[in-house]
Short mmCIF file of all heavy atoms in Angstrom, two decimals:
data_model
loop_
_atom_site.label_atom_id
_atom_site.label_comp_id
_atom_site.label_asym_id
_atom_site.label_seq_id
_atom_site.Cartn_x
_atom_site.Cartn_y
_atom_site.Cartn_z
N LYS R 92 13.14 -20.58 41.50
CA LYS R 92 13.93 -21.42 40.60
C LYS R 92 15.39 -21.40 41.01
O LYS R 92 16.08 -22.42 41.01
CB LYS R 92 13.77 -20.92 39.16
CG LYS R 92 12.36 -21.02 38.60
CD LYS R 92 12.27 -20.39 37.22
CE LYS R 92 10.84 -20.43 36.70
NZ LYS R 92 10.73 -19.74 35.38
N THR R 93 15.86 -20.22 41.33
CA THR R 93 17.22 -20.06 41.87
C THR R 93 17.08 -19.61 43.32
O THR R 93 16.83 -18.44 43.59
CB THR R 93 18.01 -19.00 41.07
OG1 THR R 93 18.02 -19.35 39.68
CG2 THR R 93 19.44 -18.91 41.59
N PRO R 94 17.21 -20.53 44.27
CA PRO R 94 16.95 -20.18 45.67
C PRO R 94 17.92 -19.15 46.22
O PRO R 94 19.07 -19.04 45.76
CB PRO R 94 17.10 -21.52 46.40
CG PRO R 94 17.87 -22.39 45.49
CD PRO R 94 17.56 -21.95 44.10
N VAL R 95 17.44 -18.37 47.18
CA VAL R 95 18.25 -17.31 47.79
C VAL R 95 19.06 -17.89 48.95
O VAL R 95 18.51 -18.57 49.82
CB VAL R 95 17.35 -16.17 48.31
CG1 VAL R 95 18.20 -15.05 48.90
CG2 VAL R 95 16.46 -15.64 47.20
N ASN R 96 20.34 -17.62 48.96
CA ASN R 96 21.20 -17.99 50.08
C ASN R 96 21.25 -16.80 51.04
O ASN R 96 22.02 -15.86 50.84
CB ASN R 96 22.60 -18.34 49.58
CG ASN R 96 23.55 -18.72 50.71
OD1 ASN R 96 23.11 -19.04 51.82
ND2 ASN R 96 24.85 -18.71 50.44
N VAL R 97 20.40 -16.82 52.06
CA VAL R 97 20.30 -15.71 53.01
C VAL R 97 21.42 -15.85 54.04
O VAL R 97 21.50 -16.85 54.76
CB VAL R 97 18.93 -15.70 53.70
CG1 VAL R 97 18.88 -14.60 54.75
CG2 VAL R 97 17.82 -15.51 52.68
N VAL R 98 22.27 -14.84 54.13
CA VAL R 98 23.41 -14.93 55.04
C VAL R 98 23.36 -13.90 56.17
O VAL R 98 24.09 -14.03 57.15
CB VAL R 98 24.74 -14.76 54.26
CG1 VAL R 98 24.86 -15.85 53.20
CG2 VAL R 98 24.85 -13.38 53.63
N GLU R 99 22.50 -12.89 56.04
CA GLU R 99 22.42 -11.89 57.11
C GLU R 99 21.08 -11.18 57.04
O GLU R 99 20.47 -11.07 55.97
CB GLU R 99 23.57 -10.87 56.97
CG GLU R 99 23.71 -9.97 58.19
CD GLU R 99 25.02 -9.18 58.19
OE1 GLU R 99 25.93 -9.50 57.41
OE2 GLU R 99 25.12 -8.22 58.98
N GLY R 100 20.62 -10.73 58.20
CA GLY R 100 19.38 -9.98 58.26
C GLY R 100 19.49 -8.81 59.21
O GLY R 100 20.17 -8.90 60.25
N LYS R 101 18.87 -7.71 58.86
CA LYS R 101 18.86 -6.53 59.72
C LYS R 101 17.57 -5.77 59.50
O LYS R 101 17.23 -5.42 58.37
CB LYS R 101 20.06 -5.63 59.45
CG LYS R 101 20.26 -4.58 60.53
CD LYS R 101 21.69 -4.10 60.63
CE LYS R 101 22.72 -5.14 60.91
NZ LYS R 101 22.94 -5.37 62.35
N LYS R 102 16.83 -5.60 60.60
CA LYS R 102 15.52 -4.95 60.56
C LYS R 102 14.60 -5.66 59.55
O LYS R 102 14.40 -6.85 59.63
CB LYS R 102 15.65 -3.45 60.26
CG LYS R 102 16.43 -2.71 61.36
CD LYS R 102 16.36 -1.20 61.22
CE LYS R 102 15.00 -0.67 61.62
NZ LYS R 102 14.94 0.79 61.62
N GLN R 103 14.09 -4.92 58.54
CA GLN R 103 13.16 -5.54 57.59
C GLN R 103 13.86 -6.03 56.32
O GLN R 103 13.20 -6.30 55.32
CB GLN R 103 12.03 -4.58 57.22
CG GLN R 103 12.46 -3.29 56.55
CD GLN R 103 12.75 -2.18 57.52
OE1 GLN R 103 13.42 -2.37 58.53
NE2 GLN R 103 12.23 -0.99 57.22
N TYR R 104 15.18 -6.16 56.37
CA TYR R 104 15.95 -6.52 55.18
C TYR R 104 16.75 -7.80 55.37
O TYR R 104 17.20 -8.12 56.49
CB TYR R 104 16.90 -5.38 54.79
CG TYR R 104 16.18 -4.08 54.53
CD1 TYR R 104 16.35 -2.99 55.38
CD2 TYR R 104 15.30 -3.94 53.45
CE1 TYR R 104 15.68 -1.80 55.16
CE2 TYR R 104 14.62 -2.75 53.22
CZ TYR R 104 14.82 -1.67 54.09
OH TYR R 104 14.15 -0.50 53.87
N LEU R 105 16.95 -8.51 54.27
CA LEU R 105 17.81 -9.69 54.23
C LEU R 105 18.88 -9.48 53.17
O LEU R 105 18.66 -8.78 52.18
CB LEU R 105 16.99 -10.94 53.91
CG LEU R 105 15.99 -11.41 54.98
CD1 LEU R 105 15.11 -12.53 54.44
CD2 LEU R 105 16.72 -11.85 56.24
N PHE R 106 20.04 -10.13 53.36
CA PHE R 106 21.15 -10.01 52.43
C PHE R 106 21.56 -11.41 51.96
O PHE R 106 21.61 -12.34 52.76
CB PHE R 106 22.34 -9.33 53.09
CG PHE R 106 22.06 -7.92 53.55
CD1 PHE R 106 21.51 -7.68 54.79
CD2 PHE R 106 22.35 -6.83 52.73
CE1 PHE R 106 21.25 -6.38 55.23
CE2 PHE R 106 22.10 -5.53 53.15
CZ PHE R 106 21.54 -5.31 54.40
N ASP R 107 21.86 -11.53 50.66
CA ASP R 107 22.31 -12.82 50.15
C ASP R 107 23.83 -12.89 50.11
O ASP R 107 24.52 -11.97 50.55
CB ASP R 107 21.68 -13.13 48.79
CG ASP R 107 22.19 -12.26 47.65
OD1 ASP R 107 23.19 -11.52 47.84
OD2 ASP R 107 21.60 -12.31 46.56
N GLU R 108 24.36 -13.98 49.57
CA GLU R 108 25.80 -14.22 49.58
C GLU R 108 26.59 -13.18 48.79
O GLU R 108 27.79 -12.99 49.03
CB GLU R 108 26.09 -15.61 49.02
CG GLU R 108 25.62 -15.81 47.58
CD GLU R 108 25.78 -17.25 47.12
OE1 GLU R 108 26.91 -17.76 47.15
OE2 GLU R 108 24.76 -17.85 46.74
N ASN R 109 25.91 -12.50 47.87
CA ASN R 109 26.58 -11.47 47.06
C ASN R 109 26.40 -10.07 47.62
O ASN R 109 26.82 -9.09 47.00
CB ASN R 109 26.05 -11.52 45.62
CG ASN R 109 26.31 -12.87 44.96
OD1 ASN R 109 27.42 -13.38 45.02
ND2 ASN R 109 25.28 -13.45 44.36
N GLY R 110 25.77 -9.98 48.78
CA GLY R 110 25.54 -8.67 49.40
C GLY R 110 24.29 -7.98 48.90
O GLY R 110 24.01 -6.84 49.28
N LYS R 111 23.52 -8.65 48.02
CA LYS R 111 22.28 -8.04 47.52
C LYS R 111 21.26 -7.94 48.66
O LYS R 111 21.08 -8.88 49.43
CB LYS R 111 21.69 -8.87 46.38
CG LYS R 111 20.39 -8.30 45.82
CD LYS R 111 19.87 -9.10 44.64
CE LYS R 111 18.55 -8.53 44.13
NZ LYS R 111 18.03 -9.26 42.95
N ARG R 112 20.60 -6.80 48.73
CA ARG R 112 19.62 -6.57 49.78
C ARG R 112 18.20 -6.82 49.27
O ARG R 112 17.87 -6.44 48.15
CB ARG R 112 19.74 -5.12 50.30
CG ARG R 112 18.71 -4.75 51.36
CD ARG R 112 19.15 -3.50 52.13
NE ARG R 112 19.40 -2.36 51.27
CZ ARG R 112 18.54 -1.34 51.11
NH1 ARG R 112 17.37 -1.35 51.73
NH2 ARG R 112 18.86 -0.33 50.33
N TYR R 113 17.41 -7.44 50.11
CA TYR R 113 16.01 -7.72 49.79
C TYR R 113 15.09 -7.14 50.86
O TYR R 113 15.43 -7.18 52.05
CB TYR R 113 15.75 -9.23 49.74
CG TYR R 113 16.55 -9.99 48.72
CD1 TYR R 113 17.84 -10.43 49.01
CD2 TYR R 113 16.01 -10.30 47.47
CE1 TYR R 113 18.58 -11.15 48.08
CE2 TYR R 113 16.75 -11.02 46.53
CZ TYR R 113 18.04 -11.44 46.85
OH TYR R 113 18.77 -12.15 45.93
N VAL R 114 13.95 -6.65 50.44
CA VAL R 114 12.89 -6.30 51.38
C VAL R 114 12.21 -7.61 51.79
O VAL R 114 11.69 -8.33 50.93
CB VAL R 114 11.86 -5.34 50.75
CG1 VAL R 114 10.63 -5.22 51.65
CG2 VAL R 114 12.47 -3.98 50.53
N ASP R 115 12.26 -7.93 53.06
CA ASP R 115 11.67 -9.18 53.54
C ASP R 115 10.20 -8.95 53.86
O ASP R 115 9.86 -8.45 54.92
CB ASP R 115 12.41 -9.68 54.77
CG ASP R 115 11.83 -10.98 55.30
OD1 ASP R 115 11.02 -11.61 54.59
OD2 ASP R 115 12.19 -11.38 56.44
N ALA R 116 9.33 -9.35 52.95
CA ALA R 116 7.89 -9.17 53.15
C ALA R 116 7.22 -10.46 53.60
O ALA R 116 6.00 -10.56 53.57
CB ALA R 116 7.24 -8.66 51.87
N PHE R 117 8.01 -11.43 54.02
CA PHE R 117 7.48 -12.70 54.52
C PHE R 117 7.78 -12.89 56.00
O PHE R 117 7.06 -13.56 56.72
CB PHE R 117 8.05 -13.85 53.70
CG PHE R 117 7.26 -15.13 53.78
CD1 PHE R 117 5.91 -15.15 54.11
CD2 PHE R 117 7.87 -16.35 53.52
CE1 PHE R 117 5.20 -16.34 54.18
CE2 PHE R 117 7.17 -17.54 53.57
CZ PHE R 117 5.83 -17.54 53.91
N GLY R 118 8.87 -12.29 56.48
CA GLY R 118 9.19 -12.30 57.90
C GLY R 118 9.35 -13.68 58.50
O GLY R 118 8.89 -13.91 59.61
N GLY R 119 9.99 -14.59 57.76
CA GLY R 119 10.16 -15.94 58.29
C GLY R 119 8.84 -16.62 58.57
O GLY R 119 8.69 -17.33 59.57
N ILE R 120 7.87 -16.39 57.70
CA ILE R 120 6.48 -16.85 57.84
C ILE R 120 5.84 -16.20 59.07
O ILE R 120 5.48 -16.86 60.06
CB ILE R 120 6.35 -18.39 57.92
CG1 ILE R 120 7.21 -19.08 56.87
CG2 ILE R 120 4.88 -18.79 57.74
CD1 ILE R 120 7.13 -20.61 56.91
N ALA R 121 5.72 -14.90 59.04
CA ALA R 121 5.04 -14.12 60.10
C ALA R 121 5.68 -14.32 61.46
O ALA R 121 5.02 -14.24 62.49
CB ALA R 121 3.56 -14.47 60.15
N THR R 122 6.99 -14.57 61.47
CA THR R 122 7.69 -14.85 62.73
C THR R 122 8.52 -13.68 63.23
O THR R 122 8.51 -13.37 64.42
CB THR R 122 8.59 -16.09 62.54
OG1 THR R 122 7.77 -17.22 62.30
CG2 THR R 122 9.45 -16.35 63.77
N VAL R 123 9.23 -13.01 62.34
CA VAL R 123 10.12 -11.92 62.74
C VAL R 123 9.29 -10.65 62.89
O VAL R 123 8.99 -9.97 61.92
CB VAL R 123 11.25 -11.72 61.70
CG1 VAL R 123 12.19 -10.61 62.15
CG2 VAL R 123 12.01 -13.02 61.50
N CYS R 124 8.88 -10.37 64.12
CA CYS R 124 7.99 -9.21 64.32
C CYS R 124 8.76 -7.94 64.65
O CYS R 124 8.37 -6.86 64.22
CB CYS R 124 6.94 -9.51 65.38
SG CYS R 124 7.58 -9.76 67.03
N CYS R 125 9.84 -8.03 65.39
CA CYS R 125 10.58 -6.83 65.79
C CYS R 125 11.58 -6.39 64.74
O CYS R 125 12.08 -5.27 64.79
CB CYS R 125 11.33 -7.08 67.09
SG CYS R 125 10.27 -7.44 68.49
N GLY R 126 11.89 -7.26 63.81
CA GLY R 126 12.94 -6.99 62.83
C GLY R 126 14.08 -7.97 63.04
O GLY R 126 14.35 -8.41 64.16
N HIS R 127 14.78 -8.31 61.96
CA HIS R 127 15.88 -9.26 62.05
C HIS R 127 16.97 -8.75 62.98
O HIS R 127 17.40 -7.60 62.90
CB HIS R 127 16.46 -9.51 60.66
CG HIS R 127 15.53 -10.25 59.75
ND1 HIS R 127 15.32 -11.60 59.84
CD2 HIS R 127 14.73 -9.82 58.74
CE1 HIS R 127 14.45 -11.98 58.92
NE2 HIS R 127 14.07 -10.91 58.24
N CYS R 128 17.40 -9.63 63.87
CA CYS R 128 18.54 -9.35 64.76
C CYS R 128 18.34 -8.04 65.54
O CYS R 128 19.28 -7.22 65.66
CB CYS R 128 19.86 -9.31 63.99
SG CYS R 128 20.20 -10.83 63.10
N HIS R 129 17.14 -7.84 66.06
CA HIS R 129 16.90 -6.61 66.84
C HIS R 129 17.87 -6.55 68.01
O HIS R 129 17.98 -7.52 68.78
CB HIS R 129 15.46 -6.57 67.35
CG HIS R 129 15.08 -5.23 67.88
ND1 HIS R 129 15.56 -4.73 69.08
CD2 HIS R 129 14.26 -4.25 67.37
CE1 HIS R 129 15.06 -3.53 69.29
NE2 HIS R 129 14.28 -3.21 68.26
N PRO R 130 18.59 -5.46 68.18
CA PRO R 130 19.64 -5.41 69.22
C PRO R 130 19.15 -5.70 70.62
O PRO R 130 19.86 -6.33 71.41
CB PRO R 130 20.19 -3.98 69.10
CG PRO R 130 19.18 -3.22 68.30
CD PRO R 130 18.52 -4.21 67.41
N ASP R 131 17.94 -5.27 70.97
CA ASP R 131 17.42 -5.53 72.31
C ASP R 131 17.15 -7.01 72.53
O ASP R 131 17.41 -7.55 73.61
CB ASP R 131 16.13 -4.73 72.55
CG ASP R 131 16.35 -3.24 72.61
OD1 ASP R 131 17.49 -2.80 72.36
OD2 ASP R 131 15.39 -2.50 72.91
N VAL R 132 16.61 -7.66 71.50
CA VAL R 132 16.32 -9.09 71.61
C VAL R 132 17.62 -9.89 71.62
O VAL R 132 17.79 -10.82 72.42
CB VAL R 132 15.40 -9.56 70.46
CG1 VAL R 132 15.10 -11.05 70.57
CG2 VAL R 132 14.09 -8.76 70.46
N VAL R 133 18.55 -9.51 70.75
CA VAL R 133 19.85 -10.19 70.71
C VAL R 133 20.56 -10.05 72.05
O VAL R 133 21.14 -11.01 72.58
CB VAL R 133 20.72 -9.63 69.57
CG1 VAL R 133 22.15 -10.15 69.67
CG2 VAL R 133 20.12 -9.99 68.21
N GLU R 134 20.53 -8.85 72.62
CA GLU R 134 21.19 -8.61 73.91
C GLU R 134 20.58 -9.47 75.00
O GLU R 134 21.31 -10.06 75.83
CB GLU R 134 21.08 -7.13 74.29
CG GLU R 134 21.80 -6.79 75.59
CD GLU R 134 21.66 -5.32 75.97
OE1 GLU R 134 20.76 -4.64 75.42
OE2 GLU R 134 22.45 -4.86 76.82
N ALA R 135 19.26 -9.58 75.01
CA ALA R 135 18.59 -10.42 76.03
C ALA R 135 19.00 -11.88 75.88
O ALA R 135 19.24 -12.58 76.87
CB ALA R 135 17.07 -10.27 75.90
N ILE R 136 19.08 -12.34 74.63
CA ILE R 136 19.47 -13.73 74.36
C ILE R 136 20.92 -13.98 74.80
O ILE R 136 21.23 -14.96 75.48
CB ILE R 136 19.30 -14.06 72.87
CG1 ILE R 136 17.81 -14.06 72.50
CG2 ILE R 136 19.93 -15.41 72.53
CD1 ILE R 136 17.55 -14.11 71.00
N VAL R 137 21.82 -13.08 74.41
CA VAL R 137 23.25 -13.25 74.72
C VAL R 137 23.48 -13.19 76.23
O VAL R 137 24.20 -14.04 76.79
CB VAL R 137 24.09 -12.19 73.99
CG1 VAL R 137 25.54 -12.20 74.48
CG2 VAL R 137 24.04 -12.42 72.49
N ASN R 138 22.88 -12.21 76.90
CA ASN R 138 23.09 -12.07 78.34
C ASN R 138 22.58 -13.29 79.10
O ASN R 138 23.23 -13.78 80.03
CB ASN R 138 22.40 -10.80 78.86
CG ASN R 138 23.11 -9.54 78.40
OD1 ASN R 138 24.27 -9.58 77.98
ND2 ASN R 138 22.43 -8.41 78.49
N GLN R 139 21.40 -13.78 78.71
CA GLN R 139 20.87 -14.95 79.40
C GLN R 139 21.71 -16.19 79.11
O GLN R 139 21.95 -17.02 79.97
CB GLN R 139 19.42 -15.19 78.97
CG GLN R 139 18.76 -16.39 79.66
CD GLN R 139 18.72 -16.26 81.17
OE1 GLN R 139 18.23 -15.27 81.70
NE2 GLN R 139 19.27 -17.25 81.85
N THR R 140 22.17 -16.31 77.85
CA THR R 140 23.00 -17.46 77.47
C THR R 140 24.31 -17.47 78.27
O THR R 140 24.80 -18.54 78.67
CB THR R 140 23.32 -17.43 75.96
OG1 THR R 140 22.08 -17.42 75.24
CG2 THR R 140 24.12 -18.64 75.53
N LYS R 141 24.86 -16.31 78.51
CA LYS R 141 26.11 -16.22 79.28
C LYS R 141 25.90 -16.65 80.73
O LYS R 141 26.79 -17.24 81.34
CB LYS R 141 26.66 -14.80 79.24
CG LYS R 141 27.28 -14.41 77.90
CD LYS R 141 27.77 -12.96 77.95
CE LYS R 141 28.45 -12.57 76.65
NZ LYS R 141 28.91 -11.14 76.67
N ARG R 142 24.69 -16.34 81.27
CA ARG R 142 24.42 -16.67 82.68
C ARG R 142 23.97 -18.11 82.86
O ARG R 142 24.47 -18.85 83.69
CB ARG R 142 23.36 -15.72 83.26
CG ARG R 142 23.83 -14.30 83.45
CD ARG R 142 22.85 -13.54 84.34
NE ARG R 142 21.49 -13.57 83.81
CZ ARG R 142 21.00 -12.68 82.95
NH1 ARG R 142 21.78 -11.71 82.50
NH2 ARG R 142 19.76 -12.76 82.54
N LEU R 143 22.96 -18.50 82.04
CA LEU R 143 22.38 -19.83 82.16
C LEU R 143 21.66 -20.16 80.87
O LEU R 143 20.62 -19.57 80.57
CB LEU R 143 21.39 -19.89 83.33
CG LEU R 143 20.72 -21.24 83.58
CD1 LEU R 143 21.73 -22.28 84.05
CD2 LEU R 143 19.59 -21.10 84.60
N GLN R 144 22.18 -21.10 80.11
CA GLN R 144 21.57 -21.45 78.83
C GLN R 144 20.38 -22.36 79.02
O GLN R 144 19.36 -22.22 78.37
CB GLN R 144 22.60 -22.12 77.93
CG GLN R 144 22.08 -22.41 76.52
CD GLN R 144 23.15 -22.98 75.62
OE1 GLN R 144 24.33 -22.98 75.97
NE2 GLN R 144 22.75 -23.48 74.47
N HIS R 145 20.51 -23.33 79.92
CA HIS R 145 19.39 -24.23 80.19
C HIS R 145 19.66 -24.99 81.49
O HIS R 145 20.79 -25.31 81.82
CB HIS R 145 19.20 -25.23 79.06
CG HIS R 145 17.99 -26.12 79.26
ND1 HIS R 145 16.71 -25.64 79.15
CD2 HIS R 145 17.88 -27.43 79.58
CE1 HIS R 145 15.85 -26.63 79.38
NE2 HIS R 145 16.55 -27.73 79.65
N SER R 146 18.58 -25.24 82.21
CA SER R 146 18.65 -26.18 83.34
C SER R 146 17.40 -27.03 83.24
O SER R 146 17.35 -28.01 82.51
CB SER R 146 18.76 -25.44 84.67
OG SER R 146 17.65 -24.56 84.86
N THR R 147 16.35 -26.64 83.93
CA THR R 147 15.05 -27.29 83.86
C THR R 147 14.06 -26.46 84.65
O THR R 147 14.44 -25.75 85.59
CB THR R 147 15.09 -28.72 84.45
OG1 THR R 147 13.76 -29.22 84.60
CG2 THR R 147 15.76 -28.76 85.82
N VAL R 148 12.79 -26.55 84.28
CA VAL R 148 11.76 -25.82 85.04
C VAL R 148 11.54 -26.46 86.41
O VAL R 148 10.79 -25.92 87.22
CB VAL R 148 10.43 -25.76 84.27
CG1 VAL R 148 10.56 -24.88 83.05
CG2 VAL R 148 9.95 -27.16 83.88
#
Side-chain angles (χ1 to χ4, degrees):
K92 296 175 183 177
T93 304
V95 182
N96 179 17
V97 176
V98 301
E99 192 168 345
K101 193 155 302 272
K102 297 190 74 174
Q103 61 270 46
Y104 303 112
L105 292 172
F106 299 86
D107 70 11
E108 61 187 302
N109 299 312
K111 179 177 178 178
R112 177 162 56 102
Y113 299 85
V114 169
D115 180 12
F117 199 24
I120 315 180
T122 295
V123 181
C124 65
C125 297
H127 292 283
C128 302
H129 192 288
D131 292 6
V132 180
V133 170
E134 183 181 17
I136 293 169
V137 170
N138 289 343
Q139 181 59 54
T140 302
K141 287 179 177 179
R142 290 194 304 272
L143 180 67
Q144 185 176 348
H145 184 70
S146 58
T147 169
V148 291

